[in-house]
Amino acid sequence: MQNLKIAAGQATGDFYGFWFQDSDVYKWLEAVAYALRYEPDQHLQNIADDLIDLIGQAQESDGYLDTFFQLQAPAEKFQHISFSHELYCMGHYIEAGIAYFETTGNQLALTIATKMADCIASHFGPKPGQLHGYPGHPEVELALAKLADVTDEPRYRDLAAYMIDQRGQQTPNFFAEQNDQNKHKHLTLPFPQQPDPAQSYFQNDRPVRELDHAEGHAVRMTYLLTGMAHVARQTQDKELAATCQRLWQDIVKKQMYVTGGIGATVAGEAFTYDYDLPNDTMYCETCASCAMVFFAQQMLKTTPQGEYADVMERELYNGTISGMSLDAQHFFYVNPLEVDPQASAQDPTKSHVKVQRPAWFGCACCPPNLARLIASVDQYLYTVKDDTIYSNQFIANQTDFGNGLQIEQQGNYPWSGQITYQITTTTPLPFTLALRIPAWSQANFQVSVDGQPITATLEQGYLRFTKTWSATTTIIIDLDMSVRTVQANPRVTADLGKVAVQRGPLVYCVEEADNGKNLAWLSLPEQPTFQIHPDTRGLALSQLQSLTTIATKVSAPAPDAPLYTKSTTPVRQPQAITLIPYFAWANRQAGEMRVWLNQD
Amino acid sequence: MQNLKIAAGQATGDFYGFWFQDSDVYKWLEAVAYALRYEPDQHLQNIADDLIDLIGQAQESDGYLDTFFQLQAPAEKFQHISFSHELYCMGHYIEAGIAYFETTGNQLALTIATKMADCIASHFGPKPGQLHGYPGHPEVELALAKLADVTDEPRYRDLAAYMIDQRGQQTPNFFAEQNDQNKHKHLTLPFPQQPDPAQSYFQNDRPVRELDHAEGHAVRMTYLLTGMAHVARQTQDKELAATCQRLWQDIVKKQMYVTGGIGATVAGEAFTYDYDLPNDTMYCETCASCAMVFFAQQMLKTTPQGEYADVMERELYNGTISGMSLDAQHFFYVNPLEVDPQASAQDPTKSHVKVQRPAWFGCACCPPNLARLIASVDQYLYTVKDDTIYSNQFIANQTDFGNGLQIEQQGNYPWSGQITYQITTTTPLPFTLALRIPAWSQANFQVSVDGQPITATLEQGYLRFTKTWSATTTIIIDLDMSVRTVQANPRVTADLGKVAVQRGPLVYCVEEADNGKNLAWLSLPEQPTFQIHPDTRGLALSQLQSLTTIATKVSAPAPDAPLYTKSTTPVRQPQAITLIPYFAWANRQAGEMRVWLNQD
């Protein structure tokens, strides 16, 4: 905020913090915009209105706004794009401005966004004298595509499309070109000069349409894909859509953790290679899981298939919200599937794996990302395509479709698998209602319509009801909420011989607080029996549904036992164990945790 | 060599290479000295004599010799000890000079060494005006202890003892003191200024007698321990000896790989914490395994216990020689227990794990270390203490003890477990002969004396024969050479549920070249049966003993199989597999390798 005040001439001083920090203010603003839709709050709205005014004053007359460059290096705007984050920050504002305009009608919020987009459009493009470039951190593409929808101005979408297709072109490579031009400058900027500007880290090593493997920095890759999928739908670009589909398949079939986490290595916070999914050194950034929801949403809007909503659900109930503590005051960047506090403390290659959520990060990208996601879950409930309403997520809600149609969902999901839909129309209305049945329940579920059990087949993961609806229809779905053990594809060597426990959409884990140290010594039998401890409808850990079962545990060796001995049949003892939902881990004292358990 | 020539005034030019590079020349010289004992070679000896002359001319009149500082920073000698390696390089010369003097009688070789030691002694010590310091990379301590033995000058031993006890003293910390003094210099030296001079990396965080955990850079730690153990014996310092014993136990019971490798992390090439022994990210530097042999030798000389010779054997047949290719032209720094070429290529945290031995390293410490070790294995055969001769290793040899006693060992170890000792005396001689029975054979071995089987009990791992020996006595030992599967202490989570295959002292491994890809999918039955393919007495891979057995292998999933599915009983197929000695891995095309195999 202070940086914006200095840029607006309301304060004096030096730029403070990371050079991409404007984006945190904008993500907060976007979260406020969504939150105000759930519950009006005039005080909060006043603060946000004042912020919009401040942003408007900080914005330069040509639409440019990036307080780092305005305060630190005004002569070097748009000259260090690979790491500058100018387009990233403005992209986040554009998203925030759209959201705030849509909630409150604040016209200035939108005007700032269109001025920014026009500023970017004047500098970037195919014309001589323009920068034939694209952002170092993709984001503005997805924001421009949103802006095109809201303003009905296809030029924003075209700018996004231009940036998408310029990316990775090598004749010349845009980042290399800027590097060359900067060679003789004495830079005092805080960001790196990359030795090789054509890097997979940036998704800049080849044109994006040639990618067949999700690569590089995971958040960059998935923000880029979100923009690509949106633009492909807007422009009906089948080749670009196929690229998105190919990379979606690569991620969900080869590079995604069971929690939805992506980014297998801390080095570059990046994707690595197919089936490389180590559980204790991974990155799995909270932001990357948020980005997978955004990407899934765009895929779903283009092609209604249950698998997109399934992945969205996997993220919403596991890898995103694990980033926040139950008291909502502490946050993870990195969401491991296996931790050992001693390893985090003493093995430098695991020092990024925190065992407790910190209260603050200098680089605070994840908390406001999670805030804007949680404040906007209503956007993930339904998609409407042609004459079909698709129900994608099970979250209690009342939705008014504006044409006399109301749908109400009731239930206690994910703790209970019974979901009641009440579809009410003021006048008879023909349309198809498609209710998603999650892949994990497709072999076993019940449906009733107005109390009559029906049998139905699934199409692309949805149960379709096509009729002319009138008055109120009640549809009740009962999902298979039995606890299941899940195995990974054997190509994932990190999970060989192990199982993860799931119930409904939730992945469970074991913690030292319940089960003692040496969680690696636990094994589940091939067909374990679980007791489900009912939830008591609260957010305290003790109120969440836990699972118990009987495992076996390796008997502890003597303290001075040798390292290596002739092999013998291992001695194991039965041990009762408790599992808690993965998202709720690390809300007690620091200790071991693991998701994948050995299986006998 | 060129750096030495420039320092000697025989050439002009700039210093080239790493600042610690003198040590490579010295280690080569030391290896030559040992090699000449096996087989005289006048041409090689002439080259070495010329080198001694050159070194003598490069040495300054006060005994100082370090070509980096002489050529690059003559005014800054001994001012950057934490990273300068001056004492490390001179220590390596002292070792080489002693070895060359002992082999050839070249007096200059020894004089250079004593002049160096005197130079160091004049600069380092407790007196006012002296540096109250110790090396950043321990080495000179063990060299000074050797020099004290050779020259019978206890002052060299006292200097080593001084450095050992100054190390880690914090009032003040010597490295911190030098850092402070250097603060205002504009350094152009190539080595780092460490932010915290009291680091476990340097074993400099506390006085060495307070250590109870082997810590920091593995080669530094074990060179330091080698010197400590030698000095403790020389000075009969029981507390220092107990420290060595404590740290020995820590390493061999908690921090050593089954191959003898040490250094569990690439970060600082360092020890981490107890039982942290990952197989695919470790360091296991060849030099560190060599250093464990040196340390074991000192422990053995102080206290004849089979466990020291057992570890020495583990190193000699596995973790040291795995550093060299069968053609002796290629070398490893890092000796992994599990490799996947894709991981090494694409996972930045495994980029240090090479899948094939390179022909050259810019930092060439390991090859000459291995050369001097292999050229001196005769020193590890016997130790003599009081009236007992201990036989520590099974290596065919004829040894003349200089008092009319000759011992000859014959056999084809490690391929055969039958070792024949012929003990011949010219006159009757009372003494005890103690023959080591390796721990892996102690439950099952046979001994005969002059053809008569005997039963005997072991003391500290040795079979003792006390008598007055005359003429020739023949003792034949038959060790248990059945193939055995070995398990790790369950606290080593990396090896849980896995076994390593050993025969005699050799650890075996599976390679992709014999067994195809996806070695992680292989499992051994609980009691596998192995076929032993006899060796043909050569060093080609095909001439070494390999093992075959029937394992099972996970059936390959369909190429587009999903990542996560409900768990089922795994489908496994029998598969014949071939194991080769670990030291001989990576002598074919690049491929997967692993030592620890899953067990059903």
Side-chain angles (χ1 to χ4, degrees), chain B residues 14 160 294 335 594:
Chain B
D14 293 326
F294 308 150
N335 294 276
R594 63 170 55 200

Side-chain angles (χ1 to χ4, degrees), chain A residues 177-190:
Chain A
E177 212 173 26
Q178 284 209 328
N179 268 8
D180 276 352
Q181 288 159 4
N182 293 336
K183 220 181 267 175
H184 303 293
K185 291 184 193 161
H186 293 287
L187 295 175
T188 52
L189 301 173

Side-chain angles (χ1 to χ4, degrees), chain A residues 50-62:
Chain A
D50 290 347
L51 175 59
I52 299 287
D53 290 340
L54 173 63
I55 293 169
Q57 285 162 40
Q59 186 175 36
E60 301 196 345
S61 58
D62 68 349

Side-chain angles (χ1 to χ4, degrees), chain A residues 252-258 265 267 272-273 275-277 314 340 342-343 346-349 484-493 496 499 518 520-521 526 554 556-557 559-569 596, chain B residues 252-258 265 267 272-273 275-277 314 340 342-343 346-349 484-493 496 499 518 520-521 526 554 556-557 559-569 596:
Chain A
V252 305
K253 283 199 168 163
K254 297 176 179 172
Q255 299 205 81
M256 188 177 67
Y257 287 87
V258 72
T265 181
T272 54
Y273 54 92
Y275 305 109
D276 179 40
L277 294 166
R314 189 187 288 279
D340 173 352
Q342 191 173 23
Q346 296 185 253
D347 177 351
T349 62
R484 62 195 190 278
T485 52
V486 166
Q487 68 192 9
N489 187 307
R491 296 188 191 279
V492 183
T493 53
L496 263 179
V499 289
N518 296 304
W521 294 357
E526 211 176 302
V554 171
D560 64 344
L563 258 182
Y564 305 107
T565 52
K566 212 165 167 178
S567 66
T568 55
T569 304
W596 289 97
Chain B
V252 306
K253 283 199 168 162
K254 297 175 178 172
Q255 298 205 78
M256 190 178 67
Y257 287 87
V258 71
T265 181
T272 54
Y273 54 92
Y275 305 108
D276 178 41
L277 295 166
R314 190 187 287 279
D340 173 352
Q342 190 173 23
Q346 296 184 252
D347 177 352
T349 63
R484 62 195 189 279
T485 51
V486 166
Q487 69 191 11
N489 187 308
R491 296 187 191 280
V492 184
T493 52
L496 264 179
V499 290
N518 296 306
W521 293 357
E526 211 176 303
V554 171
D560 63 344
L563 258 182
Y564 305 107
T565 51
K566 211 165 168 178
S567 68
T568 55
T569 305
W596 288 97

Side-chain angles (χ1 to χ4, degrees), chain B residues 24-38 44 95-96 99-100 103 367-376:
Chain B
D24 296 336
V25 178
Y26 305 151
K27 281 195 280 189
W28 176 84
L29 178 63
E30 188 182 347
V32 168
Y34 300 140
L36 290 174
R37 294 181 198 175
Y38 295 159
L44 190 57
E95 284 199 275
Y100 198 72
T103 303
N369 224 349
L370 199 46
R372 69 181 182 142
L373 176 71
I374 291 174
S376 62

Side-chain angles (χ1 to χ4, degrees), chain B residues 266-336:
Chain B
V266 60
E269 309 175 345
F271 290 106
T272 54
Y273 54 92
D274 293 348
Y275 305 108
D276 178 41
L277 295 166
N279 292 305
D280 55 349
T281 55
M282 72 302 96
Y283 206 68
C284 291
E285 184 177 338
T286 305
C287 278
S289 276
C290 293
M292 273 302 284
V293 178
F294 308 150
F295 180 29
Q297 171 83 326
Q298 292 304 328
M299 295 301 282
L300 198 53
K301 284 189 173 178
T302 302
T303 315
Q305 288 184 350
E307 69 166 292
Y308 301 125
D310 283 353
V311 169
M312 195 184 274
E313 180 183 86
R314 190 187 287 279
E315 300 289 0
L316 287 172
Y317 290 92
N318 301 288
T320 55
I321 57 172
S322 58
M324 196 190 294
S325 61
L326 293 176
D327 70 5
Q329 302 291 316
H330 299 82
F331 297 89
F332 277 137
Y333 243 73
V334 172
N335 294 276

Side-chain angles (χ1 to χ4, degrees), chain B residues 275-511:
Chain B
Y275 305 108
D276 178 41
L277 295 166
N279 292 305
D280 55 349
T281 55
M282 72 302 96
Y283 206 68
C284 291
E285 184 177 338
T286 305
C287 278
S289 276
C290 293
M292 273 302 284
V293 178
F294 308 150
F295 180 29
Q297 171 83 326
Q298 292 304 328
M299 295 301 282
L300 198 53
K301 284 189 173 178
T302 302
T303 315
Q305 288 184 350
E307 69 166 292
Y308 301 125
D310 283 353
V311 169
M312 195 184 274
E313 180 183 86
R314 190 187 287 279
E315 300 289 0
L316 287 172
Y317 290 92
N318 301 288
T320 55
I321 57 172
S322 58
M324 196 190 294
S325 61
L326 293 176
D327 70 5
Q329 302 291 316
H330 299 82
F331 297 89
F332 277 137
Y333 243 73
V334 172
N335 294 276
L337 283 81
E338 182 181 319
V339 298
D340 173 352
Q342 190 173 23
S344 290
Q346 296 184 252
D347 177 352
T349 63
K350 292 178 185 160
S351 61
H352 63 293
V353 183
K354 305 294 175 220
V355 296
Q356 291 190 303
R357 293 174 186 83
W360 184 249
F361 294 102
C363 172
C365 58
C366 295
N369 224 349
L370 199 46
R372 69 181 182 142
L373 176 71
I374 291 174
S376 62
V377 284
D378 59 295
Q379 299 180 23
Y380 303 104
L381 297 175
Y382 300 104
T383 47
V384 180
K385 195 165 177 78
D386 304 326
D387 61 351
T388 304
I389 295 173
Y390 295 88
S391 163
N392 300 312
Q393 299 301 331
F394 306 118
I395 297 175
N397 72 90
Q398 292 174 297
T399 299
D400 192 327
F401 285 81
N403 56 351
L405 170 66
Q406 281 204 327
I407 299 181
E408 178 168 0
Q409 255 192 64
Q410 294 172 322
N412 187 26
Y413 194 79
W415 312 118
S416 155
Q418 184 171 89
I419 299 107
T420 302
Y421 287 84
Q422 285 196 298
I423 302 98
T424 305
T425 57
T426 48
T427 54
L429 206 61
F431 68 92
T432 300
L433 179 65
L435 307 181
R436 179 180 68 99
I437 303 298
W440 49 262
S441 187
Q442 288 175 4
N444 181 17
F445 64 94
Q446 279 88 46
V447 199
S448 70
V449 177
D450 288 334
Q452 298 302 311
I454 61 156
T455 55
T457 55
L458 293 169
E459 288 175 43
Q460 306 283 11
Y462 290 92
L463 210 53
R464 300 171 70 91
F465 300 89
T466 303
K467 64 171 182 168
T468 298
W469 304 73
S470 61
T472 295
T473 309
T474 300
I475 302 178
I476 297 176
I477 292 176
D478 272 291
L479 299 174
D480 178 6
M481 297 302 281
S482 55
V483 181
R484 62 195 189 279
T485 51
V486 166
Q487 69 191 11
N489 187 308
R491 296 187 191 280
V492 184
T493 52
D495 300 335
L496 264 179
K498 295 177 182 166
V499 290
V501 175
Q502 289 196 250
R503 178 171 184 266
L506 293 172
V507 174
Y508 277 73
C509 68
V510 288
E511 280 200 301

Side-chain angles (χ1 to χ4, degrees), chain A residues 42-321:
Chain A
Q42 193 57 50
H43 177 64
L44 190 57
Q45 190 167 343
N46 291 345
I47 294 173
D49 283 339
D50 290 347
L51 175 59
I52 299 287
D53 290 340
L54 173 63
I55 293 169
Q57 285 162 40
Q59 186 175 36
E60 301 196 345
S61 58
D62 68 349
Y64 184 92
L65 178 49
D66 184 282
T67 65
F68 173 77
F69 277 90
Q70 287 170 269
L71 303 185
Q72 292 280 91
E76 305 204 13
K77 292 171 190 164
F78 292 143
Q79 292 176 26
H80 308 278
I81 292 295
S82 63
F83 271 107
S84 74
H85 286 66
E86 289 156 286
L87 300 173
Y88 171 86
C89 288
M90 287 196 259
H92 271 301
Y93 177 80
I94 292 168
E95 285 200 273
I98 291 168
Y100 198 70
F101 164 74
E102 289 189 325
T103 303
T104 67
N106 183 321
Q107 189 63 49
L108 177 58
L110 187 62
T111 303
I112 294 168
T114 52
K115 277 181 69 179
M116 268 182 198
D118 292 336
C119 170
I120 296 168
S122 73
H123 284 88
F124 289 81
K127 291 185 205 145
Q130 285 187 308
L131 296 168
H132 308 319
Y134 41 85
H137 194 313
E139 208 287 342
V140 77
E141 302 91 334
L142 71 88
L144 288 168
K146 281 189 180 181
L147 190 63
D149 285 348
V150 171
T151 60
D152 213 10
E153 291 281 6
R155 70 174 188 278
Y156 297 132
R157 172 200 80 192
D158 294 342
L159 177 58
Y162 173 77
M163 288 178 164
I164 287 166
D165 276 324
Q166 269 301 100
R167 189 168 209 92
Q169 301 292 347
Q170 305 298 332
T171 52
N173 177 294
F174 172 64
F175 295 161
E177 212 173 26
Q178 284 209 328
N179 268 8
D180 276 352
Q181 288 159 4
N182 293 336
K183 220 181 267 175
H184 303 293
K185 291 184 193 161
H186 293 287
L187 295 175
T188 52
L189 301 173
F191 36 84
Q193 282 280 90
Q194 75 278 21
D196 176 7
Q199 288 180 58
S200 58
Y201 172 79
F202 295 108
Q203 299 83 39
N204 189 34
D205 56 329
R206 74 196 71 185
V208 298
R209 287 171 198 262
E210 294 176 15
L211 289 174
D212 52 16
H213 173 77
E215 65 179 26
H217 187 261
V219 177
R220 281 175 168 80
M221 181 81 251
T222 37
Y223 276 12
L224 176 60
L225 285 167
T226 304
M228 284 165 60
H230 196 159
V231 168
R233 186 172 69 254
Q234 289 173 322
T235 57
Q236 303 198 16
D237 182 333
K238 287 208 169 71
E239 188 189 62
L240 192 60
T243 301
C244 293
Q245 173 61 20
R246 193 165 67 240
L247 293 168
W248 170 272
Q249 289 294 328
D250 177 65
I251 295 173
V252 305
K253 283 199 168 163
K254 297 176 179 172
Q255 299 205 81
M256 188 177 67
Y257 287 87
V258 72
T259 55
I262 52 171
T265 181
V266 59
E269 309 175 346
F271 290 107
T272 54
Y273 54 92
D274 293 347
Y275 305 109
D276 179 40
L277 294 166
N279 293 305
D280 55 350
T281 55
M282 73 300 96
Y283 206 66
C284 291
E285 186 178 337
T286 305
C287 279
S289 277
C290 292
M292 273 302 285
V293 178
F294 307 150
F295 180 29
Q297 171 82 327
Q298 292 305 328
M299 296 301 283
L300 198 53
K301 284 189 172 177
T302 302
T303 316
Q305 288 183 350
E307 69 165 292
Y308 301 125
D310 283 353
V311 168
M312 195 183 274
E313 179 182 86
R314 189 187 288 279
E315 300 290 359
L316 286 173
Y317 290 92
N318 300 287
T320 54
I321 56 172

